[in-house]
Amino acid sequence: MCKILKKLISVLLVTVVALFVVYFWNLDQKLLGWAYKQVNAMFDRKKVDQVF
């Protein structure tokens, strides 16, 4: 029981630390900004179909 409790606490601690690092350095917004640039680069090259 003690091993399971130690493992659970360590996993929770690592998760909280990782989430704090992401929050502190605003990494989620930086990742989304990079993803938006990649998506826009793909769709800006695409020819638009003209429908009349």
Side-chain angles (χ1 to χ4, degrees):
M1 183 69 178
C2 188
K3 285 184 179 182
I4 295 172
L5 189 60
K6 283 183 181 180
K7 186 167 245 176
L8 179 65
I9 290 173
S10 64
V11 167
L12 289 175
L13 184 65
V14 167
T15 304
V16 168
V17 168
L19 288 174
F20 178 75
V21 167
V22 167
Y23 172 76
F24 185 74
W25 278 301
N26 207 14
L27 296 177
D28 55 339
Q29 293 296 320
K30 291 178 183 179
L31 178 64
L32 281 178
W34 176 83
Y36 283 145
K37 286 180 186 176
Q38 300 304 315
V39 169
N40 285 334
M42 282 190 281
F43 285 105
D44 285 346
R45 292 189 301 232
K46 187 177 177 183
K47 291 184 180 180
V48 177
D49 296 332
Q50 296 284 335
V51 178
F52 294 103

mmCIF file of all heavy atoms in Angstrom:
data_model
loop_
_atom_site.group_PDB
_atom_site.id
_atom_site.type_symbol
_atom_site.label_atom_id
_atom_site.label_comp_id
_atom_site.label_asym_id
_atom_site.label_seq_id
_atom_site.Cartn_x
_atom_site.Cartn_y
_atom_site.Cartn_z
ATOM 1 N N MET A 1 0.817 -1.197 0.000
ATOM 2 C CA MET A 1 0.000 0.000 0.000
ATOM 3 C C MET A 1 0.857 1.256 0.000
ATOM 4 O O MET A 1 0.519 2.236 -0.641
ATOM 5 C CB MET A 1 -0.909 -0.044 1.240
ATOM 6 C CG MET A 1 -1.854 1.104 1.335
ATOM 7 S SD MET A 1 -3.086 0.988 0.054
ATOM 8 C CE MET A 1 -4.062 2.383 0.413
ATOM 9 N N CYS A 2 1.963 1.204 0.707
ATOM 10 C CA CYS A 2 2.837 2.368 0.815
ATOM 11 C C CYS A 2 3.502 2.685 -0.529
ATOM 12 O O CYS A 2 3.647 3.849 -0.886
ATOM 13 C CB CYS A 2 3.882 2.114 1.892
ATOM 14 S SG CYS A 2 4.869 3.564 2.260
ATOM 15 N N LYS A 3 3.867 1.630 -1.286
ATOM 16 C CA LYS A 3 4.488 1.844 -2.596
ATOM 17 C C LYS A 3 3.505 2.504 -3.558
ATOM 18 O O LYS A 3 3.874 3.403 -4.309
ATOM 19 C CB LYS A 3 4.957 0.515 -3.183
ATOM 20 C CG LYS A 3 6.188 -0.045 -2.554
ATOM 21 C CD LYS A 3 6.608 -1.313 -3.275
ATOM 22 C CE LYS A 3 7.869 -1.879 -2.675
ATOM 23 N NZ LYS A 3 8.317 -3.083 -3.376
ATOM 24 N N ILE A 4 2.258 2.051 -3.512
ATOM 25 C CA ILE A 4 1.238 2.627 -4.397
ATOM 26 C C ILE A 4 0.997 4.085 -4.043
ATOM 27 O O ILE A 4 0.876 4.942 -4.930
ATOM 28 C CB ILE A 4 -0.070 1.812 -4.302
ATOM 29 C CG1 ILE A 4 0.151 0.388 -4.824
ATOM 30 C CG2 ILE A 4 -1.181 2.483 -5.085
ATOM 31 C CD1 ILE A 4 -1.018 -0.530 -4.578
ATOM 32 N N LEU A 5 0.948 4.390 -2.767
ATOM 33 C CA LEU A 5 0.726 5.763 -2.324
ATOM 34 C C LEU A 5 1.883 6.674 -2.727
ATOM 35 O O LEU A 5 1.663 7.792 -3.208
ATOM 36 C CB LEU A 5 0.519 5.802 -0.811
ATOM 37 C CG LEU A 5 0.074 7.133 -0.219
ATOM 38 C CD1 LEU A 5 -1.254 7.555 -0.816
ATOM 39 C CD2 LEU A 5 -0.022 7.025 1.278
ATOM 40 N N LYS A 6 3.109 6.196 -2.572
ATOM 41 C CA LYS A 6 4.277 6.986 -2.983
ATOM 42 C C LYS A 6 4.275 7.228 -4.481
ATOM 43 O O LYS A 6 4.566 8.329 -4.952
ATOM 44 C CB LYS A 6 5.569 6.276 -2.575
ATOM 45 C CG LYS A 6 5.903 6.403 -1.123
ATOM 46 C CD LYS A 6 7.229 5.748 -0.815
ATOM 47 C CE LYS A 6 7.574 5.849 0.648
ATOM 48 N NZ LYS A 6 8.864 5.219 0.956
ATOM 49 N N LYS A 7 3.926 6.188 -5.243
ATOM 50 C CA LYS A 7 3.888 6.330 -6.701
ATOM 51 C C LYS A 7 2.801 7.313 -7.113
ATOM 52 O O LYS A 7 3.013 8.162 -7.982
ATOM 53 C CB LYS A 7 3.666 4.976 -7.354
ATOM 54 C CG LYS A 7 3.753 5.019 -8.857
ATOM 55 C CD LYS A 7 3.833 3.645 -9.442
ATOM 56 C CE LYS A 7 5.184 3.583 -10.086
ATOM 57 N NZ LYS A 7 5.543 2.340 -10.641
ATOM 58 N N LEU A 8 1.637 7.240 -6.475
ATOM 59 C CA LEU A 8 0.539 8.150 -6.786
ATOM 60 C C LEU A 8 0.915 9.593 -6.469
ATOM 61 O O LEU A 8 0.678 10.500 -7.272
ATOM 62 C CB LEU A 8 -0.710 7.748 -6.001
ATOM 63 C CG LEU A 8 -1.939 8.629 -6.195
ATOM 64 C CD1 LEU A 8 -2.431 8.541 -7.626
ATOM 65 C CD2 LEU A 8 -3.023 8.226 -5.227
ATOM 66 N N ILE A 9 1.517 9.816 -5.325
ATOM 67 C CA ILE A 9 1.932 11.167 -4.936
ATOM 68 C C ILE A 9 2.993 11.703 -5.885
ATOM 69 O O ILE A 9 2.946 12.864 -6.299
ATOM 70 C CB ILE A 9 2.412 11.187 -3.472
ATOM 71 C CG1 ILE A 9 1.219 10.989 -2.548
ATOM 72 C CG2 ILE A 9 3.120 12.494 -3.141
ATOM 73 C CD1 ILE A 9 1.576 10.834 -1.098
ATOM 74 N N SER A 10 3.937 10.861 -6.291
ATOM 75 C CA SER A 10 4.981 11.329 -7.200
ATOM 76 C C SER A 10 4.413 11.657 -8.580
ATOM 77 O O SER A 10 4.801 12.647 -9.194
ATOM 78 C CB SER A 10 6.104 10.300 -7.304
ATOM 79 O OG SER A 10 5.637 9.113 -7.880
ATOM 80 N N VAL A 11 3.464 10.855 -9.053
ATOM 81 C CA VAL A 11 2.840 11.142 -10.353
ATOM 82 C C VAL A 11 2.050 12.438 -10.282
ATOM 83 O O VAL A 11 2.121 13.277 -11.195
ATOM 84 C CB VAL A 11 1.942 9.957 -10.790
ATOM 85 C CG1 VAL A 11 1.052 10.340 -11.951
ATOM 86 C CG2 VAL A 11 2.799 8.762 -11.154
ATOM 87 N N LEU A 12 1.304 12.630 -9.209
ATOM 88 C CA LEU A 12 0.546 13.872 -9.053
ATOM 89 C C LEU A 12 1.464 15.081 -8.935
ATOM 90 O O LEU A 12 1.177 16.138 -9.508
ATOM 91 C CB LEU A 12 -0.368 13.783 -7.834
ATOM 92 C CG LEU A 12 -1.571 12.851 -7.972
ATOM 93 C CD1 LEU A 12 -2.315 12.766 -6.646
ATOM 94 C CD2 LEU A 12 -2.485 13.307 -9.073
ATOM 95 N N LEU A 13 2.563 14.933 -8.232
ATOM 96 C CA LEU A 13 3.516 16.032 -8.093
ATOM 97 C C LEU A 13 4.138 16.402 -9.434
ATOM 98 O O LEU A 13 4.229 17.579 -9.782
ATOM 99 C CB LEU A 13 4.606 15.662 -7.083
ATOM 100 C CG LEU A 13 5.618 16.759 -6.771
ATOM 101 C CD1 LEU A 13 4.923 17.920 -6.080
ATOM 102 C CD2 LEU A 13 6.728 16.208 -5.908
ATOM 103 N N VAL A 14 4.526 15.401 -10.201
ATOM 104 C CA VAL A 14 5.106 15.664 -11.521
ATOM 105 C C VAL A 14 4.078 16.331 -12.427
ATOM 106 O O VAL A 14 4.394 17.276 -13.163
ATOM 107 C CB VAL A 14 5.636 14.352 -12.150
ATOM 108 C CG1 VAL A 14 5.944 14.519 -13.617
ATOM 109 C CG2 VAL A 14 6.858 13.877 -11.393
ATOM 110 N N THR A 15 2.828 15.893 -12.362
ATOM 111 C CA THR A 15 1.770 16.502 -13.175
ATOM 112 C C THR A 15 1.548 17.955 -12.803
ATOM 113 O O THR A 15 1.445 18.823 -13.678
ATOM 114 C CB THR A 15 0.464 15.712 -13.005
ATOM 115 O OG1 THR A 15 0.694 14.348 -13.340
ATOM 116 C CG2 THR A 15 -0.634 16.270 -13.869
ATOM 117 N N VAL A 16 1.492 18.249 -11.520
ATOM 118 C CA VAL A 16 1.282 19.634 -11.069
ATOM 119 C C VAL A 16 2.453 20.513 -11.477
ATOM 120 O O VAL A 16 2.261 21.641 -11.949
ATOM 121 C CB VAL A 16 1.053 19.671 -9.545
ATOM 122 C CG1 VAL A 16 1.128 21.088 -9.008
ATOM 123 C CG2 VAL A 16 -0.277 19.043 -9.199
ATOM 124 N N VAL A 17 3.672 20.017 -11.340
ATOM 125 C CA VAL A 17 4.852 20.794 -11.732
ATOM 126 C C VAL A 17 4.837 21.053 -13.242
ATOM 127 O O VAL A 17 5.110 22.171 -13.689
ATOM 128 C CB VAL A 17 6.147 20.082 -11.296
ATOM 129 C CG1 VAL A 17 7.365 20.716 -11.939
ATOM 130 C CG2 VAL A 17 6.274 20.123 -9.781
ATOM 131 N N ALA A 18 4.499 20.043 -14.039
ATOM 132 C CA ALA A 18 4.458 20.218 -15.491
ATOM 133 C C ALA A 18 3.389 21.241 -15.883
ATOM 134 O O ALA A 18 3.620 22.107 -16.736
ATOM 135 C CB ALA A 18 4.200 18.876 -16.177
ATOM 136 N N LEU A 19 2.227 21.162 -15.262
ATOM 137 C CA LEU A 19 1.172 22.131 -15.568
ATOM 138 C C LEU A 19 1.564 23.540 -15.134
ATOM 139 O O LEU A 19 1.246 24.519 -15.826
ATOM 140 C CB LEU A 19 -0.132 21.714 -14.889
ATOM 141 C CG LEU A 19 -0.822 20.499 -15.497
ATOM 142 C CD1 LEU A 19 -2.012 20.095 -14.639
ATOM 143 C CD2 LEU A 19 -1.240 20.767 -16.925
ATOM 144 N N PHE A 20 2.263 23.666 -14.019
ATOM 145 C CA PHE A 20 2.715 24.983 -13.583
ATOM 146 C C PHE A 20 3.726 25.566 -14.561
ATOM 147 O O PHE A 20 3.675 26.756 -14.873
ATOM 148 C CB PHE A 20 3.329 24.899 -12.186
ATOM 149 C CG PHE A 20 3.857 26.220 -11.708
ATOM 150 C CD1 PHE A 20 2.993 27.206 -11.286
ATOM 151 C CD2 PHE A 20 5.217 26.481 -11.708
ATOM 152 C CE1 PHE A 20 3.467 28.429 -10.848
ATOM 153 C CE2 PHE A 20 5.706 27.708 -11.279
ATOM 154 C CZ PHE A 20 4.823 28.672 -10.851
ATOM 155 N N VAL A 21 4.637 24.740 -15.056
ATOM 156 C CA VAL A 21 5.628 25.221 -16.020
ATOM 157 C C VAL A 21 4.941 25.688 -17.295
ATOM 158 O O VAL A 21 5.268 26.749 -17.841
ATOM 159 C CB VAL A 21 6.670 24.122 -16.313
ATOM 160 C CG1 VAL A 21 7.514 24.457 -17.528
ATOM 161 C CG2 VAL A 21 7.558 23.906 -15.098
ATOM 162 N N VAL A 22 3.962 24.925 -17.779
ATOM 163 C CA VAL A 22 3.211 25.321 -18.979
ATOM 164 C C VAL A 22 2.488 26.641 -18.730
ATOM 165 O O VAL A 22 2.501 27.543 -19.567
ATOM 166 C CB VAL A 22 2.218 24.208 -19.389
ATOM 167 C CG1 VAL A 22 1.222 24.710 -20.411
ATOM 168 C CG2 VAL A 22 2.978 23.014 -19.927
ATOM 169 N N TYR A 23 1.872 26.784 -17.574
ATOM 170 C CA TYR A 23 1.153 28.018 -17.242
ATOM 171 C C TYR A 23 2.109 29.193 -17.074
ATOM 172 O O TYR A 23 1.855 30.291 -17.574
ATOM 173 C CB TYR A 23 0.350 27.803 -15.965
ATOM 174 C CG TYR A 23 -0.270 29.064 -15.420
ATOM 175 C CD1 TYR A 23 -1.398 29.609 -16.005
ATOM 176 C CD2 TYR A 23 0.291 29.709 -14.324
ATOM 177 C CE1 TYR A 23 -1.961 30.764 -15.506
ATOM 178 C CE2 TYR A 23 -0.274 30.862 -13.820
ATOM 179 C CZ TYR A 23 -1.392 31.391 -14.420
ATOM 180 O OH TYR A 23 -1.944 32.541 -13.938
ATOM 181 N N PHE A 24 3.213 28.979 -16.380
ATOM 182 C CA PHE A 24 4.126 30.069 -16.050
ATOM 183 C C PHE A 24 4.765 30.659 -17.301
ATOM 184 O O PHE A 24 4.881 31.876 -17.428
ATOM 185 C CB PHE A 24 5.203 29.560 -15.090
ATOM 186 C CG PHE A 24 6.123 30.633 -14.594
ATOM 187 C CD1 PHE A 24 5.687 31.533 -13.655
ATOM 188 C CD2 PHE A 24 7.414 30.736 -15.077
ATOM 189 C CE1 PHE A 24 6.527 32.534 -13.185
ATOM 190 C CE2 PHE A 24 8.266 31.727 -14.617
ATOM 191 C CZ PHE A 24 7.817 32.623 -13.666
ATOM 192 N N TRP A 25 5.191 29.806 -18.225
ATOM 193 C CA TRP A 25 5.843 30.309 -19.437
ATOM 194 C C TRP A 25 4.882 30.463 -20.604
ATOM 195 O O TRP A 25 5.304 30.721 -21.725
ATOM 196 C CB TRP A 25 7.002 29.406 -19.827
ATOM 197 C CG TRP A 25 8.238 29.722 -19.052
ATOM 198 C CD1 TRP A 25 8.885 30.907 -19.010
ATOM 199 C CD2 TRP A 25 8.961 28.836 -18.204
ATOM 200 N NE1 TRP A 25 9.968 30.820 -18.181
ATOM 201 C CE2 TRP A 25 10.044 29.557 -17.678
ATOM 202 C CE3 TRP A 25 8.807 27.506 -17.840
ATOM 203 C CZ2 TRP A 25 10.956 28.991 -16.815
ATOM 204 C CZ3 TRP A 25 9.705 26.941 -16.978
ATOM 205 C CH2 TRP A 25 10.778 27.685 -16.479
ATOM 206 N N ASN A 26 3.580 30.288 -20.357
ATOM 207 C CA ASN A 26 2.559 30.503 -21.381
ATOM 208 C C ASN A 26 2.830 29.644 -22.616
ATOM 209 O O ASN A 26 2.642 30.077 -23.758
ATOM 210 C CB ASN A 26 2.513 31.993 -21.746
ATOM 211 C CG ASN A 26 1.170 32.408 -22.256
ATOM 212 O OD1 ASN A 26 0.202 31.690 -22.108
ATOM 213 N ND2 ASN A 26 1.108 33.571 -22.872
ATOM 214 N N LEU A 27 3.258 28.416 -22.391
ATOM 215 C CA LEU A 27 3.657 27.543 -23.496
ATOM 216 C C LEU A 27 2.477 27.088 -24.341
ATOM 217 O O LEU A 27 2.646 26.819 -25.529
ATOM 218 C CB LEU A 27 4.406 26.321 -22.943
ATOM 219 C CG LEU A 27 5.727 26.632 -22.254
ATOM 220 C CD1 LEU A 27 6.331 25.360 -21.693
ATOM 221 C CD2 LEU A 27 6.694 27.300 -23.199
ATOM 222 N N ASP A 28 1.281 27.012 -23.758
ATOM 223 C CA ASP A 28 0.132 26.597 -24.549
ATOM 224 C C ASP A 28 -0.178 27.626 -25.636
ATOM 225 O O ASP A 28 -0.448 27.261 -26.786
ATOM 226 C CB ASP A 28 -1.074 26.345 -23.665
ATOM 227 C CG ASP A 28 -1.423 27.542 -22.791
ATOM 228 O OD1 ASP A 28 -0.547 28.390 -22.560
ATOM 229 O OD2 ASP A 28 -2.579 27.612 -22.334
ATOM 230 N N GLN A 29 -0.085 28.909 -25.301
ATOM 231 C CA GLN A 29 -0.343 29.943 -26.302
ATOM 232 C C GLN A 29 0.757 29.984 -27.359
ATOM 233 O O GLN A 29 0.497 30.228 -28.537
ATOM 234 C CB GLN A 29 -0.472 31.304 -25.629
ATOM 235 C CG GLN A 29 -1.699 31.419 -24.758
ATOM 236 C CD GLN A 29 -2.976 31.309 -25.553
ATOM 237 O OE1 GLN A 29 -3.091 31.843 -26.647
ATOM 238 N NE2 GLN A 29 -3.936 30.584 -25.019
ATOM 239 N N LYS A 30 1.985 29.739 -26.953
ATOM 240 C CA LYS A 30 3.085 29.716 -27.918
ATOM 241 C C LYS A 30 2.928 28.549 -28.883
ATOM 242 O O LYS A 30 3.161 28.689 -30.084
ATOM 243 C CB LYS A 30 4.423 29.632 -27.193
ATOM 244 C CG LYS A 30 4.759 30.894 -26.448
ATOM 245 C CD LYS A 30 6.056 30.771 -25.704
ATOM 246 C CE LYS A 30 6.329 32.034 -24.905
ATOM 247 N NZ LYS A 30 7.564 31.961 -24.145
ATOM 248 N N LEU A 31 2.503 27.392 -28.362
ATOM 249 C CA LEU A 31 2.282 26.229 -29.217
ATOM 250 C C LEU A 31 1.141 26.473 -30.188
ATOM 251 O O LEU A 31 1.249 26.160 -31.382
ATOM 252 C CB LEU A 31 1.997 24.995 -28.366
ATOM 253 C CG LEU A 31 1.706 23.713 -29.126
ATOM 254 C CD1 LEU A 31 2.939 23.289 -29.921
ATOM 255 C CD2 LEU A 31 1.281 22.615 -28.166
ATOM 256 N N LEU A 32 0.045 27.058 -29.707
ATOM 257 C CA LEU A 32 -1.075 27.354 -30.595
ATOM 258 C C LEU A 32 -0.704 28.407 -31.633
ATOM 259 O O LEU A 32 -1.138 28.329 -32.783
ATOM 260 C CB LEU A 32 -2.281 27.822 -29.793
ATOM 261 C CG LEU A 32 -3.076 26.725 -29.114
ATOM 262 C CD1 LEU A 32 -4.212 27.323 -28.311
ATOM 263 C CD2 LEU A 32 -3.611 25.741 -30.113
ATOM 264 N N GLY A 33 0.094 29.392 -31.259
ATOM 265 C CA GLY A 33 0.546 30.389 -32.230
ATOM 266 C C GLY A 33 1.367 29.760 -33.331
ATOM 267 O O GLY A 33 1.204 30.081 -34.513
ATOM 268 N N TRP A 34 2.239 28.835 -32.957
ATOM 269 C CA TRP A 34 3.047 28.131 -33.960
ATOM 270 C C TRP A 34 2.154 27.275 -34.861
ATOM 271 O O TRP A 34 2.327 27.255 -36.075
ATOM 272 C CB TRP A 34 4.077 27.237 -33.262
ATOM 273 C CG TRP A 34 4.870 26.421 -34.201
ATOM 274 C CD1 TRP A 34 5.970 26.811 -34.897
ATOM 275 C CD2 TRP A 34 4.619 25.062 -34.584
ATOM 276 N NE1 TRP A 34 6.418 25.781 -35.675
ATOM 277 C CE2 TRP A 34 5.608 24.701 -35.500
ATOM 278 C CE3 TRP A 34 3.648 24.131 -34.225
ATOM 279 C CZ2 TRP A 34 5.647 23.425 -36.070
ATOM 280 C CZ3 TRP A 34 3.693 22.877 -34.797
ATOM 281 C CH2 TRP A 34 4.688 22.538 -35.702
ATOM 282 N N ALA A 35 1.167 26.587 -34.269
ATOM 283 C CA ALA A 35 0.266 25.731 -35.049
ATOM 284 C C ALA A 35 -0.567 26.569 -36.018
ATOM 285 O O ALA A 35 -0.764 26.174 -37.171
ATOM 286 C CB ALA A 35 -0.637 24.932 -34.114
ATOM 287 N N TYR A 36 -1.068 27.721 -35.561
ATOM 288 C CA TYR A 36 -1.843 28.592 -36.450
ATOM 289 C C TYR A 36 -1.001 29.067 -37.625
ATOM 290 O O TYR A 36 -1.483 29.139 -38.759
ATOM 291 C CB TYR A 36 -2.393 29.793 -35.691
ATOM 292 C CG TYR A 36 -3.589 29.492 -34.835
ATOM 293 C CD1 TYR A 36 -3.765 30.144 -33.629
ATOM 294 C CD2 TYR A 36 -4.549 28.559 -35.206
ATOM 295 C CE1 TYR A 36 -4.854 29.873 -32.825
ATOM 296 C CE2 TYR A 36 -5.633 28.285 -34.415
ATOM 297 C CZ TYR A 36 -5.779 28.942 -33.229
ATOM 298 O OH TYR A 36 -6.858 28.676 -32.435
ATOM 299 N N LYS A 37 0.253 29.391 -37.386
ATOM 300 C CA LYS A 37 1.131 29.816 -38.475
ATOM 301 C C LYS A 37 1.318 28.693 -39.487
ATOM 302 O O LYS A 37 1.305 28.926 -40.697
ATOM 303 C CB LYS A 37 2.486 30.254 -37.937
ATOM 304 C CG LYS A 37 2.458 31.592 -37.258
ATOM 305 C CD LYS A 37 3.827 31.969 -36.738
ATOM 306 C CE LYS A 37 3.771 33.242 -35.931
ATOM 307 N NZ LYS A 37 5.061 33.586 -35.338
ATOM 308 N N GLN A 38 1.478 27.462 -39.012
ATOM 309 C CA GLN A 38 1.657 26.327 -39.911
ATOM 310 C C GLN A 38 0.399 26.075 -40.732
ATOM 311 O O GLN A 38 0.475 25.829 -41.944
ATOM 312 C CB GLN A 38 2.030 25.063 -39.114
ATOM 313 C CG GLN A 38 3.295 25.184 -38.316
ATOM 314 C CD GLN A 38 4.490 25.567 -39.147
ATOM 315 O OE1 GLN A 38 4.709 25.042 -40.219
ATOM 316 N NE2 GLN A 38 5.276 26.488 -38.648
ATOM 317 N N VAL A 39 -0.751 26.134 -40.095
ATOM 318 C CA VAL A 39 -2.013 25.905 -40.805
ATOM 319 C C VAL A 39 -2.252 27.010 -41.824
ATOM 320 O O VAL A 39 -2.640 26.744 -42.969
ATOM 321 C CB VAL A 39 -3.189 25.805 -39.805
ATOM 322 C CG1 VAL A 39 -4.531 25.850 -40.520
ATOM 323 C CG2 VAL A 39 -3.063 24.535 -38.986
ATOM 324 N N ASN A 40 -2.013 28.253 -41.439
ATOM 325 C CA ASN A 40 -2.205 29.361 -42.372
ATOM 326 C C ASN A 40 -1.232 29.275 -43.534
ATOM 327 O O ASN A 40 -1.593 29.617 -44.667
ATOM 328 C CB ASN A 40 -2.052 30.699 -41.653
ATOM 329 C CG ASN A 40 -3.261 31.014 -40.812
ATOM 330 O OD1 ASN A 40 -4.355 30.550 -41.088
ATOM 331 N ND2 ASN A 40 -3.052 31.786 -39.765
ATOM 332 N N ALA A 41 -0.020 28.818 -43.306
ATOM 333 C CA ALA A 41 0.940 28.671 -44.398
ATOM 334 C C ALA A 41 0.463 27.621 -45.392
ATOM 335 O O ALA A 41 0.626 27.782 -46.605
ATOM 336 C CB ALA A 41 2.310 28.297 -43.839
ATOM 337 N N MET A 42 -0.152 26.552 -44.894
ATOM 338 C CA MET A 42 -0.665 25.512 -45.797
ATOM 339 C C MET A 42 -1.831 26.028 -46.626
ATOM 340 O O MET A 42 -1.905 25.804 -47.824
ATOM 341 C CB MET A 42 -1.111 24.286 -45.004
ATOM 342 C CG MET A 42 -0.001 23.412 -44.543
ATOM 343 S SD MET A 42 -0.585 21.872 -43.869
ATOM 344 C CE MET A 42 -1.102 22.389 -42.250
ATOM 345 N N PHE A 43 -2.771 26.727 -45.979
ATOM 346 C CA PHE A 43 -3.975 27.145 -46.684
ATOM 347 C C PHE A 43 -3.770 28.411 -47.496
ATOM 348 O O PHE A 43 -4.569 28.695 -48.396
ATOM 349 C CB PHE A 43 -5.137 27.307 -45.704
ATOM 350 C CG PHE A 43 -5.691 25.986 -45.264
ATOM 351 C CD1 PHE A 43 -5.420 25.496 -44.010
ATOM 352 C CD2 PHE A 43 -6.444 25.205 -46.123
ATOM 353 C CE1 PHE A 43 -5.911 24.275 -43.593
ATOM 354 C CE2 PHE A 43 -6.935 23.986 -45.733
ATOM 355 C CZ PHE A 43 -6.672 23.516 -44.466
ATOM 356 N N ASP A 44 -2.736 29.198 -47.220
ATOM 357 C CA ASP A 44 -2.453 30.365 -48.045
ATOM 358 C C ASP A 44 -1.895 29.951 -49.399
ATOM 359 O O ASP A 44 -2.051 30.663 -50.380
ATOM 360 C CB ASP A 44 -1.461 31.296 -47.344
ATOM 361 C CG ASP A 44 -2.126 32.068 -46.214
ATOM 362 O OD1 ASP A 44 -3.369 32.081 -46.164
ATOM 363 O OD2 ASP A 44 -1.404 32.640 -45.390
ATOM 364 N N ARG A 45 -1.247 28.797 -49.476
ATOM 365 C CA ARG A 45 -0.704 28.306 -50.744
ATOM 366 C C ARG A 45 -1.770 27.675 -51.615
ATOM 367 O O ARG A 45 -1.607 27.549 -52.819
ATOM 368 C CB ARG A 45 0.372 27.247 -50.483
ATOM 369 C CG ARG A 45 1.612 27.771 -49.842
ATOM 370 C CD ARG A 45 2.658 26.699 -49.828
ATOM 371 N NE ARG A 45 2.186 25.523 -49.105
ATOM 372 C CZ ARG A 45 2.837 24.931 -48.124
ATOM 373 N NH1 ARG A 45 3.989 25.397 -47.733
ATOM 374 N NH2 ARG A 45 2.352 23.879 -47.516
ATOM 375 N N LYS A 46 -2.867 27.254 -51.015
ATOM 376 C CA LYS A 46 -3.899 26.518 -51.729
ATOM 377 C C LYS A 46 -4.671 27.450 -52.659
ATOM 378 O O LYS A 46 -5.068 28.546 -52.274
ATOM 379 C CB LYS A 46 -4.841 25.885 -50.715
ATOM 380 C CG LYS A 46 -5.861 24.966 -51.305
ATOM 381 C CD LYS A 46 -6.691 24.350 -50.194
ATOM 382 C CE LYS A 46 -7.768 23.477 -50.779
ATOM 383 N NZ LYS A 46 -8.615 22.927 -49.736
ATOM 384 N N LYS A 47 -4.890 26.999 -53.876
ATOM 385 C CA LYS A 47 -5.690 27.792 -54.804
ATOM 386 C C LYS A 47 -7.154 27.709 -54.402
ATOM 387 O O LYS A 47 -7.646 26.658 -54.006
ATOM 388 C CB LYS A 47 -5.527 27.266 -56.228
ATOM 389 C CG LYS A 47 -4.146 27.501 -56.791
ATOM 390 C CD LYS A 47 -4.058 27.042 -58.229
ATOM 391 C CE LYS A 47 -2.677 27.287 -58.767
ATOM 392 N NZ LYS A 47 -2.525 26.857 -60.150
ATOM 393 N N VAL A 48 -7.836 28.821 -54.532
ATOM 394 C CA VAL A 48 -9.241 28.882 -54.140
ATOM 395 C C VAL A 48 -10.083 28.577 -55.362
ATOM 396 O O VAL A 48 -9.868 29.091 -56.455
ATOM 397 C CB VAL A 48 -9.596 30.283 -53.598
ATOM 398 C CG1 VAL A 48 -11.066 30.384 -53.255
ATOM 399 C CG2 VAL A 48 -8.732 30.607 -52.400
ATOM 400 N N ASP A 49 -11.049 27.672 -55.170
ATOM 401 C CA ASP A 49 -11.971 27.354 -56.259
ATOM 402 C C ASP A 49 -12.996 28.480 -56.401
ATOM 403 O O ASP A 49 -13.643 28.874 -55.443
ATOM 404 C CB ASP A 49 -12.700 26.045 -55.972
ATOM 405 C CG ASP A 49 -11.774 24.858 -55.927
ATOM 406 O OD1 ASP A 49 -10.737 24.911 -56.606
ATOM 407 O OD2 ASP A 49 -12.083 23.877 -55.216
ATOM 408 N N GLN A 50 -13.088 29.008 -57.607
ATOM 409 C CA GLN A 50 -14.050 30.079 -57.872
ATOM 410 C C GLN A 50 -15.355 29.446 -58.309
ATOM 411 O O GLN A 50 -15.404 28.697 -59.272
ATOM 412 C CB GLN A 50 -13.527 30.989 -58.986
ATOM 413 C CG GLN A 50 -12.254 31.722 -58.637
ATOM 414 C CD GLN A 50 -12.523 32.885 -57.698
ATOM 415 O OE1 GLN A 50 -13.602 33.426 -57.648
ATOM 416 N NE2 GLN A 50 -11.502 33.253 -56.948
ATOM 417 N N VAL A 51 -16.441 29.739 -57.607
ATOM 418 C CA VAL A 51 -17.761 29.230 -57.964
ATOM 419 C C VAL A 51 -18.601 30.415 -58.372
ATOM 420 O O VAL A 51 -18.775 31.362 -57.620
ATOM 421 C CB VAL A 51 -18.406 28.492 -56.765
ATOM 422 C CG1 VAL A 51 -19.800 28.020 -57.132
ATOM 423 C CG2 VAL A 51 -17.526 27.354 -56.317
ATOM 424 N N PHE A 52 -19.136 30.354 -59.585
ATOM 425 C CA PHE A 52 -19.965 31.462 -60.087
ATOM 426 C C PHE A 52 -21.373 31.017 -60.226
ATOM 427 O O PHE A 52 -21.728 29.993 -60.583
ATOM 428 C CB PHE A 52 -19.446 31.961 -61.446
ATOM 429 C CG PHE A 52 -18.084 32.606 -61.340
ATOM 430 C CD1 PHE A 52 -16.943 31.947 -61.733
ATOM 431 C CD2 PHE A 52 -17.964 33.891 -60.829
ATOM 432 C CE1 PHE A 52 -15.693 32.533 -61.652
ATOM 433 C CE2 PHE A 52 -16.717 34.483 -60.727
ATOM 434 C CZ PHE A 52 -15.598 33.808 -61.145
#
